[in-house]
């Protein structure tokens, strides 16, 4: 692992390529989430083995269309079956060119998502006149960190999310499961380090399936404070692992593990009914 470098003054880069950003050694929100909620061993594996998937491709294209109005990184093939020889050859050739391959149906889906976002008055305003994907680098607790807000617009950070369900009532669980509260805390820290002001933070959520409904939500201060504590915990773990040169997995329990408390309810109404 890269040794900790100190003395990183807050700075930003507009137009930095995504691959260059992700290759930079500073810790981003995904790394902090893994360190805080999984193990250092998971962190090492994920850093050395970046994930790719169809869902990731669709999200990347949606971001390009909505944030930058850029279709140049996409190639489309009208094919129904991704198991076909035609698709496999197209997929390989397209990725070799540094583009994302989509089927015609996927393209129709992602453009419909874009149109839905830009038809929503608050979301349209958030993604108009903004700076897209500004890469920010600074130092937190002696560790180089980074963030890349989807949009920076008149003192507001806007994060675009694609989801199965954009219902605001379901978003807190989604945010907790995926660590969005950690992302929000880190992004606000970064822009505050850069500008001296702590900006507002909005999530714009668009559904992946028709009718591609859109919602705009915010997390309350207590929710973000939890994310900030997890980020601090992650940085502590990172410093300790860097100092010792060890990146452990799960701890071995020293004593037998008890059953969870809720397990007792499984026997209610069964025992004593003979």
């Amino acid at each position: 692992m890269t040794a900790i470098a100190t003395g990183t003054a807050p700075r930003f880069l507009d137009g930095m390529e995504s691959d260059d950003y992700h290759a930079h050694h500073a810790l981003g929100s995904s790394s902090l989430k893994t360190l805080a909620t999984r193990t250092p061993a998971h962190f090492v594996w994920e850093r050395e083995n970046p994930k790719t998937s169809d869902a990731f491709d669709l999200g990347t294209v949606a971001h390009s269309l909505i944030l930058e109005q850029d279709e140049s990184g996409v190639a489309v093939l009208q094919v129904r079956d991704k198991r076909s020889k035609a698709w496999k050859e197209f997929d390989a050739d397209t990725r070799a060119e540094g583009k994302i391959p989509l089927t015609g149906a996927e393209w129709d889906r992602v453009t419909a998502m874009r149109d839905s976002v830009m038809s929503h008055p608050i979301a349209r305003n958030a993604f108009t006149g903004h700076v897209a994907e500004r890469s920010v680098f600074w130092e937190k607790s002696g560790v180089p960190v980074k963030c890349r807000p989807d949009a920076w617009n008149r003192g507001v950070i806007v994060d675009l999310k694609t989801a199965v369900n954009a219902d605001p009532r379901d978003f807190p669980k989604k945010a907790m499961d995926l660590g969005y509260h950690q992302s929000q805390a880190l992004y606000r820290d970064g822009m505050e380090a850069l500008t001296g002001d702590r900006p507002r933070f909005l999530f714009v959520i668009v559904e992946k399936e028709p009718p591609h409904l859109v919602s705009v939500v915010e997390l309350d201060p207590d929710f973000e404070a939890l994310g900030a504590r997890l980020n601090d915990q992650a940085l502590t773990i990172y410093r300790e692992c860097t100092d010792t040169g060890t990146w452990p997995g799960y701890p071995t329990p020293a004593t037998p593990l008890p059953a969870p408390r809720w397990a007792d309810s499984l026997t209610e109404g069964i025992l004593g009914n003979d």
Side-chain angles (χ1 to χ4, degrees), residues 18-259:
S18 176
D19 288 346
D20 293 336
Y21 170 81
H22 291 296
H24 193 280
H25 70 276
L27 297 188
S29 62
S30 294
S31 295
L32 296 181
K33 292 170 191 176
T34 300
L35 285 165
T37 63
R38 301 198 75 188
T39 72
H42 285 107
F43 162 76
V44 173
W45 171 260
E46 290 175 4
R47 181 168 258 195
E48 296 174 353
N49 298 272
K51 294 180 180 179
T52 59
S53 68
D54 288 349
F56 180 80
D57 286 344
L58 283 175
T60 300
V61 174
H63 276 65
S64 294
L65 295 184
I66 296 168
L67 300 177
E68 301 176 281
Q69 296 79 50
D70 183 8
E71 302 179 3
S72 63
V74 185
V76 179
L77 180 66
Q78 297 292 342
V79 63
R80 291 186 177 182
D81 190 349
K82 285 192 172 183
R83 295 170 296 181
S84 67
K85 180 180 178 182
W87 173 261
K88 291 178 181 178
E89 292 177 350
F90 175 75
D91 181 276
D93 292 344
T94 301
R95 294 189 189 279
E97 296 174 2
K99 296 184 178 183
I100 294 176
L102 296 182
T103 66
E106 288 173 331
W107 175 250
D108 291 344
R109 184 174 162 196
V110 77
T111 53
M113 291 163 62
R114 172 200 60 194
D115 294 344
S116 186
V117 168
M118 300 312 289
S119 296
H120 188 285
I122 299 176
R124 180 177 63 247
N125 186 58
F127 295 126
T128 302
H130 62 286
V131 177
E133 298 188 326
R134 168 170 285 173
S135 299
V136 182
F137 301 88
W138 75 107
E139 186 178 289
K140 183 173 174 62
S141 301
V143 178
V145 290
K146 63 185 178 182
C147 69
R148 189 173 166 94
D150 288 340
W152 172 249
N153 196 335
R154 297 181 289 273
V156 179
I157 297 172
V158 189
D159 201 29
L160 175 66
K161 298 297 185 188
T162 59
V164 174
N165 183 3
D167 188 336
R169 295 168 295 185
D170 294 335
F171 191 71
K173 182 180 185 305
K174 182 83 168 180
M176 180 67 74
D177 289 344
L178 297 180
Y180 293 163
H181 53 321
Q182 287 187 248
S183 298
Q184 175 171 314
L186 183 69
Y187 287 19
R188 294 186 76 201
D189 284 349
M191 296 309 293
E192 183 176 24
L194 190 66
T195 68
D197 296 318
R198 195 163 185 83
R200 188 180 180 190
F201 193 107
L202 298 177
F203 291 95
V204 172
I205 314 157
V206 57
E207 292 180 344
K208 299 177 184 180
E209 300 293 340
H212 303 295
L213 296 183
V214 174
S215 63
V216 180
V217 302
E218 296 182 73
L219 304 183
D220 74 20
D222 289 342
F223 204 164
E224 182 185 316
L226 173 59
R229 291 194 296 274
L230 288 170
N231 288 342
D232 289 342
Q233 177 181 321
L235 292 171
T236 297
I237 293 170
Y238 180 80
R239 289 196 306 270
E240 291 175 350
C241 290
T242 301
D243 289 343
T244 62
T246 60
W247 302 84
Y250 297 118
T252 301
T255 58
L257 299 175

